[in-house]
Amino acid sequence: MLKKRRRKAVRQKAAREQERIEAEEEARKLACPEYQLYLAEKEREDEIAANREELEHALQKAIWLEKERDAQLRFEEQRKSEEAKERQEHEKREKIRKEFEERETKAKQAKAERLKQQELVRRMLHERHVKLQEFAVTGADEYLNELQTTHNTRHEAEDCKFFLKTGACRHGYRCCGNHPTPGVSKVILIPSFFSHPALEQKVHAEYGQDVRLEFDEDDLTNCFNEFFRDIIVEFEMFGKIQHIFVCRNSGPHLRGSVYIEYELLRNAAAAYLRMNGRFYAKKQLHVEFRNPIVWPMAVCGLFELRRCHKGAGCNFLHILKNPDHRYVYNHFQESRLRRKEEVVQIATPLDLG
């Protein structure tokens, strides 16, 4: 402890001595004019350095404030831009939602209207079917005017000339003309009733595009004769027939179509009720009524003379010859009768005058 105290006292004494020497040295320096000038110069330089540092600090602060203001402006612009985009997206989503809701509403309304129309059509068809059955059985004229109402495919368009002449059009429902179809008529049409490979245009699986070369005219005639004798028994049950035409055209709208004209409306109605929807040769029959057809205008006269340049693709009727001389059609005789009727109709007003 004594040694420790002694070492401490020595260090304190040395420190006091050092402080005394430094104080004397500082007093000597302060007494020197040159040292006083040095201190004044150093104080002035320190003040200048402090002012410069303060200016630099103020400049850096101003620069930082300017950058901060620019950053705030950019941030505000970005925020506004994002808000505008978000608002546009929200408006777009709202517009899409409203359009979707409107479409859904319209679709529901259209579906309800369609179901309503289907139900109305179903009821009308059912009522028409009942009235047609009563007319076919009794022959009463009570529902005749209502049953003969014509159905038009396009009310605003002109009547299709080919449909008026032949009762068929190669454009079908896509035709720009109107196809007037009666509710009941003496003429019934069964499209694609008769089928034979010689009449088809499609590529056959076995014979390719030369399918017609594999079946001669005799084969087609024999097949048609069997078909005619098979169906004539059915259709004669409904009443007296005036004409039966079976088309041999290759066009899809005429190929294998069968036209049957009865003498009485009730016979045609009975045939329609009995045969529509029945199956023949693994295919369902679709029977349609047609307005009275002027056969000399519908049947191709050049084909009767074997001079039709359009061949099987002609839009007028190329008919097969009925077997057993039953309901045989003589084009030229019918044409002469037609011309005589027109002459009589023209001459009668002149005679009255």
Side-chain angles (χ1 to χ4, degrees), residues 111-157:
K111 184 178 180 181
E113 185 67 22
R114 187 168 61 253
L115 292 176
K116 183 179 179 181
Q117 291 294 332
Q118 289 177 356
E119 181 65 19
L120 182 61
V121 170
R122 188 188 65 80
R123 291 180 181 178
M124 291 175 61
L125 291 176
H126 178 70
E127 293 176 359
R128 177 179 173 274
H129 186 76
V130 172
K131 294 176 181 178
L132 197 61
Q133 284 180 335
E134 293 181 3
F135 173 73
V137 173
T138 62
D141 297 339
E142 181 181 358
Y143 304 119
L144 185 58
N145 293 331
E146 183 178 352
L147 291 174
Q148 286 181 327
T149 303
T150 302
H151 170 71
N152 298 299
T153 55
R154 297 181 185 271
H155 296 273
E156 69 282 356

Side-chain angles (χ1 to χ4, degrees), residues 13-266:
K13 184 178 180 181
R16 287 194 295 270
E17 185 65 23
Q18 183 67 27
E19 289 178 356
R20 185 184 64 77
I21 294 172
E22 290 178 358
E24 290 178 356
E25 183 67 22
E26 185 67 21
R28 186 180 60 79
K29 287 180 179 180
L30 289 174
C32 180
E34 295 179 357
Y35 185 70
Q36 292 179 358
L37 291 174
Y38 166 74
L39 291 178
E41 184 69 19
K42 184 177 180 181
E43 184 178 359
R44 187 175 62 83
E45 290 179 356
D46 291 341
E47 185 178 356
I48 293 172
N51 293 334
R52 184 183 298 111
E53 184 178 357
E54 186 177 356
L55 290 175
E56 289 181 356
H57 179 73
L59 181 61
Q60 292 295 331
K61 185 177 181 181
I63 293 173
W64 179 82
L65 291 174
E66 185 68 21
K67 290 181 178 180
E68 181 68 17
R69 185 167 56 255
D70 293 340
Q72 291 290 338
L73 291 175
R74 287 195 301 271
F75 175 76
E76 187 67 20
E77 291 177 358
Q78 184 177 2
R79 184 182 64 80
K80 291 181 179 180
S81 177
E82 290 179 355
E83 288 180 355
K85 288 182 180 179
E86 186 177 355
R87 186 166 56 252
Q88 291 178 358
E89 290 293 331
H90 179 71
E91 292 176 356
K92 188 176 180 180
R93 287 194 298 269
E94 285 294 321
K95 184 178 179 180
I96 293 174
R97 184 182 62 80
K98 291 180 180 179
E99 290 178 354
F100 175 76
E101 290 179 354
E102 290 178 359
R103 285 198 302 268
E104 287 292 318
T105 304
K106 290 181 180 179
K108 291 180 179 179
Q109 293 177 353
K111 184 178 180 181
E113 185 67 22
R114 187 168 61 253
L115 292 176
K116 183 179 179 181
Q117 291 294 332
Q118 289 177 356
E119 181 65 19
L120 182 61
V121 170
R122 188 188 65 80
R123 291 180 181 178
M124 291 175 61
L125 291 176
H126 178 70
E127 293 176 359
R128 177 179 173 274
H129 186 76
V130 172
K131 294 176 181 178
L132 197 61
Q133 284 180 335
E134 293 181 3
F135 173 73
V137 173
T138 62
D141 297 339
E142 181 181 358
Y143 304 119
L144 185 58
N145 293 331
E146 183 178 352
L147 291 174
Q148 286 181 327
T149 303
T150 302
H151 170 71
N152 298 299
T153 55
R154 297 181 185 271
H155 296 273
E156 69 282 356
E158 295 182 358
D159 293 340
C160 178
K161 295 181 180 179
F162 276 103
F163 189 84
L164 292 178
K165 290 181 179 180
T166 63
C169 176
R170 63 189 179 95
H171 298 291
Y173 289 105
R174 296 176 299 174
C175 181
C176 59
N178 180 38
H179 293 176
T181 305
V184 65
S185 174
K186 295 180 181 180
V187 181
I188 62 173
L189 168 63
I190 309 175
S192 304
F193 193 6
F194 174 65
S195 59
H196 191 271
L199 304 180
E200 297 180 0
Q201 289 181 326
K202 63 182 181 180
V203 179
H204 198 272
E206 182 177 356
Y207 305 110
Q209 294 181 346
D210 299 330
V211 60
R212 294 191 178 188
L213 301 178
E214 300 295 333
F215 300 94
D216 55 9
E217 189 69 21
D218 294 336
D219 189 12
L220 175 62
T221 303
N222 294 333
C223 183
F224 169 68
N225 291 342
E226 293 179 3
F227 168 79
F228 186 85
R229 295 188 182 100
D230 188 22
I231 68 168
I232 195 64
V233 178
E234 290 282 345
F235 285 98
E236 285 182 340
M237 294 172 54
F238 305 111
K240 190 174 181 180
I241 298 174
Q242 286 185 336
H243 296 98
I244 294 181
F245 298 120
V246 180
C247 299
R248 57 178 299 164
N249 303 67
S250 61
H253 64 294
L254 290 176
R255 182 173 59 237
S257 296
V258 178
Y259 293 82
I260 302 176
E261 183 177 2
Y262 286 91
E263 286 192 355
L264 299 176
L265 281 174
R266 59 180 298 187

